[in-house]
Amino acid sequence: MAPLLAKNIIQIIFLLFTIFSLSKAELHAHYYDQTCPQLEKIVSETVLEASNHDPKVPARILRMFFHDCFIRGCDASILLDSTATNQAEKDGPPNVSVRSFYVIDDVKAKLESACPHTVSCADIIAIAARDVVTMSGGPYWSVLKGRKDGMVSKASDTVNLPAPTLNVSQLIQSFAKRGLGVKDMVTLSGGHTLGFSHCSSFVARVHNFSLLHAVDPRMNKEFALGLRNKCPKPFNNGDAGQFLDSTASVFDNDYYKQLLAGKGVFSSDQSLVDDYRTRWIVEAFARDQSLFFKEFAASMLKLGNVRGSENGEVRLNCRIPNWRHKY
Ligand code: HEM
């Protein structure tokens, strides 16, 4: 009797294990090969055209992907619009500066005519994020697909996005909650090789920093002075700010070189140099761009694997969950 019981228990454990693994369906590089073979061409042509019209697009789309994946997994919850009764993620404070959602809308419209109701908005962001990196001079990787679009989006969740004031331990913790390690955190922070920050995200580092220091003492003095001039007090230009490295439209390893020179824009960026757990990675990437590219591609695949709810759908319009089309 006892061996039979043990056998049944083992069978149940196996069954539960199988159910659990099936419920987290694997992503695939060839997920749409049969159902939408034109997918990658449509995404890359649309994103390239938009970037040619507006050079801010690549940085914005890369950041959009990161912010999407960090809240409820990579489920395009960042694309849903607010309604009369719900303030959506995109209207949460850190996302107000995430723009260029129209590019994803354009891709989606083209895909709905080429292969209707097939490609999720979450997969579109993931492919577009790879494309903006590659077209800016960075690495190429094969994007895994098969994500579903979520139906929930709440502005209040955005408090869980990492702030530019975090220290290394807090950054490590924030990434660990999404299954990403220390190396992934330092590598993905290299996304700051593209783009721009408004003064509000770093101004506290360059005015009345502390009782002893007018500016953050970790900063290169001339760099700090430059930021003070760009963001004077009293502060009245909401558009003013600073590029995140000295080659902000090129995807390269300059961000890491700037950090070693005390020219990180955010306190969180600069802190990567101060801590023994992260400094060696910064140094390795500053020395070897091809190593950074290889690791960035690998960490982006891991970021793209942060999973949302499995009860998702393929939205018809990236801004609206499908049930709302019925009303
Ligand atoms: C490590 C934690 C991170 C923090 C604290 C952080 C914080 C920020 C902040 C405060 C801004 C400026 C927003 C503004 O004022 O307009 C910004 C911009 C940006 N972030 Fe991050 N970020 C982090 C990680 C990442 C990651 C992992 C990526 C992508 C892989 C990324 C990509 C970007 C890009 C491309 C921009 C420029 C956006 C633009 O030009 O519109 N960030 N980030």
Side-chain angles (χ1 to χ4, degrees):
M1 190 65 185
L4 193 64
L5 186 66
K7 198 175 154 203
N8 284 347
I9 289 172
I10 289 169
Q11 277 173 352
I12 289 167
I13 290 171
F14 265 96
L15 189 69
L16 287 175
F17 185 75
T18 312
I19 290 169
F20 180 75
S21 352
L22 283 178
S23 71
K24 288 258 169 201
E26 290 289 313
L27 303 178
H28 288 288
H30 302 289
Y31 190 82
Y32 297 108
D33 279 7
Q34 305 302 320
T35 53
C36 195
Q38 321 89 304
L39 165 62
E40 302 239 353
K41 187 167 180 285
I42 291 175
V43 180
S44 65
E45 284 177 0
T46 312
V47 170
L48 182 62
E49 200 187 318
S51 306
N52 286 338
H53 275 109
D54 179 359
K56 294 176 179 158
V57 163
R60 288 172 169 179
I61 288 187
L62 180 57
R63 185 165 179 239
M64 189 188 294
F65 178 60
F66 165 53
H67 282 203
D68 183 40
C69 294
F70 257 48
I71 303 295
R72 297 180 182 273
C74 313
D75 69 343
S77 51
I78 195 169
L79 300 182
L80 289 173
D81 280 344
S82 293
T83 64
T85 53
N86 179 57
Q87 203 189 12
E89 242 171 73
K90 60 163 63 149
D91 293 320
N95 282 338
V96 175
S97 53
V98 178
R99 310 224 173 102
S100 300
F101 294 109
Y102 71 90
V103 180
I104 308 296
D105 292 335
D106 281 359
V107 172
K108 181 64 174 171
K110 289 179 189 164
L111 288 173
E112 282 306 302
S113 76
C115 20
H117 208 179
T118 303
V119 182
S120 68
C121 301
D123 282 340
I124 296 174
I125 308 179
I127 301 167
R130 186 276 317 277
D131 285 341
V132 295
V133 168
T134 312
M135 76 176 60
S136 306
Y140 175 90
W141 61 94
S142 203
V143 176
L144 303 181
K145 290 150 289 210
R147 297 171 189 81
K148 291 285 181 271
D149 298 326
M151 286 174 275
V152 177
S153 178
K154 293 194 177 304
S156 54
D157 286 341
T158 59
V159 295
N160 297 318
L161 287 167
T165 47
L166 296 193
N167 63 33
V168 169
S169 296
Q170 293 167 320
L171 289 169
I172 290 175
Q173 213 176 15
S174 166
F175 278 66
K177 278 186 193 151
R178 281 90 179 174
L180 299 164
V182 178
K183 185 152 62 87
D184 297 310
M185 187 273 284
V186 180
T187 307
L188 291 168
S189 297
H192 289 166
T193 178
L194 292 181
F196 172 89
S197 170
H198 296 88
C199 293
S200 53
S201 304
F202 58 81
V203 74
R205 299 185 72 203
V206 292
H207 290 285
N208 306 328
F209 177 73
S210 68
L211 281 178
L212 291 180
H213 300 282
V215 301
D216 184 339
R218 298 171 302 167
M219 284 176 108
N220 171 289
K221 294 281 171 296
E222 275 170 42
F223 183 68
L225 210 62
L227 294 191
R228 271 171 82 106
N229 289 336
K230 282 182 178 164
C231 310
K233 282 229 162 149
F235 186 59
N236 52 17
N237 179 2
D239 292 333
Q242 169 67 28
F243 289 111
L244 297 178
D245 76 4
S246 64
T247 54
S249 59
V250 182
F251 194 99
D252 58 13
N253 65 343
D254 184 62
Y255 162 79
Y256 297 102
K257 293 180 183 167
Q258 298 301 319
L259 294 189
L260 292 174
K263 297 180 183 175
V265 175
F266 305 132
S267 179
S268 52
D269 287 332
Q270 197 57 54
S271 69
L272 301 179
V273 171
D274 303 334
D275 192 291
Y276 74 97
R277 290 169 291 180
T278 49
R279 185 181 173 99
W280 67 276
I281 309 173
V282 172
E283 286 172 340
F285 290 161
R287 257 195 320 268
D288 185 347
Q289 177 165 282
S290 59
L291 176 67
F292 166 51
F293 280 13
K294 187 174 134 278
E295 293 295 339
F296 192 80
S299 291
M300 283 290 275
L301 283 169
K302 282 178 81 175
L303 177 61
N305 241 327
V306 180
R307 305 302 293 275
S309 150
E310 295 301 316
N311 303 321
E313 59 182 6
V314 172
R315 276 180 222 147
L316 294 167
N317 174 335
C318 291
R319 294 172 179 267
I320 308 172
N322 290 341
W323 65 267
R324 278 187 44 217
H325 289 283
K326 296 178 192 137
Y327 297 94

